[in-house]
Amino acid sequence: MNILLCGAGGQVGTELRRLTWPGGWPIVATDRPELDIGDRAAVDAAFARVRPGLVLNAAAYTAVDRAESEPEAAWAGNCQGPANLAAACRAAGIPLVHISTDYVFDGDKPGPYVEGDPVKPLGVYGRSKEAGEEAVRNELPEHVILRTAWLYSAHGHNFVKTMLRLAETHPSLRVVADQHGSPTSAADIAAAIAAIAMRIAAGSGRWGTYHFAGAGAVTWYGFAEAIFAAAAPWRGPPPEVTAITTADYPTPARRPANSVLDCRRIGADYGIASRPWQDALAEVVRELFEGSAPRP
Ligand SMILES: NC(=O)c1ccc[n+]([C@@H]2O[C@H](COP(=O)([O-])OP(=O)(O)OC[C@H]3O[C@@H](n4cnc5c(N)ncnc54)[C@H](OP(=O)(O)O)[C@@H]3O)[C@@H](O)[C@H]2O)c1
């Protein structure tokens, strides 16, 4: 079964490429230069060339703040792209595993969000991702939409690497302490996607929308403190970290105050459980300082 992977150069795409897949499952890895998912003709040509049995979409426009001033690019990557993939999958009679975001929610719920909670994105990025989800649902019944949150890995741009970089030149940092979420290792969601792909291949896949994120919840401030604690064996004493409010740190895009995801459904349907976010963080920080870590 050929697997067509879109967005192979991103955080999740890179981890999906690093996984060991069953021998008979060649992964055809594409990133924007080989396949722009916003281009329907390019998607059709890739399907004709690869003849996939399954498509994994890790491609997205992920610049949350820049999306406010580049809405067309955000919609092309996050809505038109998944719509194109879903239409091509439907024509080919194959399923799609697509990744979405906690930022489809507005953050007003006091507890963790379940899959059926009403969506109400606060910005262009969240709206474009929500529209992408809807396009997939409307076009293709055989889909798995995986919403995740606060992704990081040793590869690419993310909060963990930004904190460690800033700490090299700043003895003190101010970090937002009134937004709550669940940091998620890209390697962990890649492993979850592989488990889903195996179930689909075995004919026992379940379709629909699922949440997958690191277990537990924290603020960006608490996450920063944990990053510096994890990095202490290599970096020594942490910088001073001061808790600030969202109002103290205005950004072009509004973000939800709470985007903690309830991940019980993927456990019930697929037997997939996430590990505590602190455990995954320790592994990624080690990889950043010591090189490649064993994959889950
Ligand atoms: N990052 C987070 O904190 C976060 C949180 C929640 C959910 N998610 C979701 O998780 C998924 C994976 O995120 P990630 O952090 O791995 O993303 P990422 O590191 O930003 O990688 C996205 C990849 O997709 C590519 N891409 C963008 N537009 C494309 C297009 N039109 N056609 C083909 N490729 C395109 C990008 O290429 P270029 O570099 O050329 O743009 C990049 O290689 C996305 O669906 C994202 O919305 C992310």
Side-chain angles (χ1 to χ4, degrees):
M1 177 176 79
N2 283 348
I3 297 181
L4 176 61
L5 168 61
C6 306
Q11 297 191 85
V12 175
T14 297
E15 296 298 337
L16 283 166
R17 281 189 288 119
R18 288 172 70 178
L19 284 177
T20 307
W21 291 84
W25 291 11
I27 294 272
V28 181
T30 65
D31 207 40
R32 191 203 297 267
E34 301 83 39
L35 172 56
D36 180 341
I37 62 168
D39 178 345
R40 178 63 203 262
V43 168
D44 288 344
F47 271 61
R49 192 173 67 249
V50 175
R51 301 197 168 279
L54 174 66
V55 176
L56 308 180
N57 182 31
Y61 179 106
T62 57
V64 174
D65 285 317
R66 208 165 66 227
E68 298 297 313
S69 52
E70 292 182 353
E72 293 84 4
W75 280 77
N78 295 344
C79 179
Q80 192 58 51
N84 288 341
L85 292 175
C89 284
R90 182 171 176 162
I94 63 167
L96 170 66
V97 179
H98 171 67
I99 309 174
S100 192
T101 175
D102 53 336
Y103 281 12
V104 296
F105 297 117
D106 68 2
D108 284 350
K109 186 175 175 181
Y113 280 92
V114 296
E115 288 81 353
D117 278 330
V119 294
K120 195 177 169 199
L122 297 176
V124 170
Y125 168 75
R127 280 197 290 278
S128 66
K129 292 292 292 183
E130 195 250 320
E133 287 187 2
E134 268 310 291
V136 170
R137 278 186 207 106
N138 291 336
E139 189 68 49
L140 182 71
E142 296 80 15
H143 68 260
V144 173
I145 295 171
L146 264 187
R147 290 191 189 125
T148 189
W150 294 26
L151 281 178
Y152 65 92
S153 71
H155 172 91
H157 303 289
N158 56 67
F159 185 78
V160 174
K161 292 175 72 179
T162 301
M163 285 295 111
L164 292 172
R165 191 185 66 245
L166 287 175
E168 284 176 11
T169 49
H170 296 68
S172 66
L173 296 168
R174 300 162 73 238
V175 183
V176 169
D178 56 0
Q179 292 172 22
H180 301 255
S182 302
T184 307
S185 157
D188 285 1
I189 191 172
I193 290 169
I196 290 168
M198 287 182 205
R199 284 279 300 273
I200 290 173
S204 58
R206 303 282 295 268
W207 312 124
T209 301
Y210 293 90
H211 290 171
F212 179 86
V218 69
T219 66
W220 292 113
Y221 166 78
F223 190 23
E225 290 215 309
I227 292 164
F228 295 125
W234 297 273
R235 276 286 182 82
E240 184 191 340
V241 185
T242 304
I244 60 169
T245 66
T246 300
D248 294 327
Y249 187 74
T251 53
R254 285 178 63 208
R255 288 163 169 75
N258 166 42
S259 63
V260 178
L261 300 176
D262 182 317
C263 300
R264 283 176 295 180
R265 187 173 178 219
I266 198 169
D269 282 10
Y270 277 100
I272 294 170
S274 37
R275 57 181 167 161
W277 65 264
Q278 296 93 331
D279 294 356
L281 174 64
E283 193 172 283
V284 169
V285 169
R286 176 172 291 276
E287 181 180 353
L288 279 167
F289 288 101
E290 293 191 351
S292 208
R295 310 307 330 147

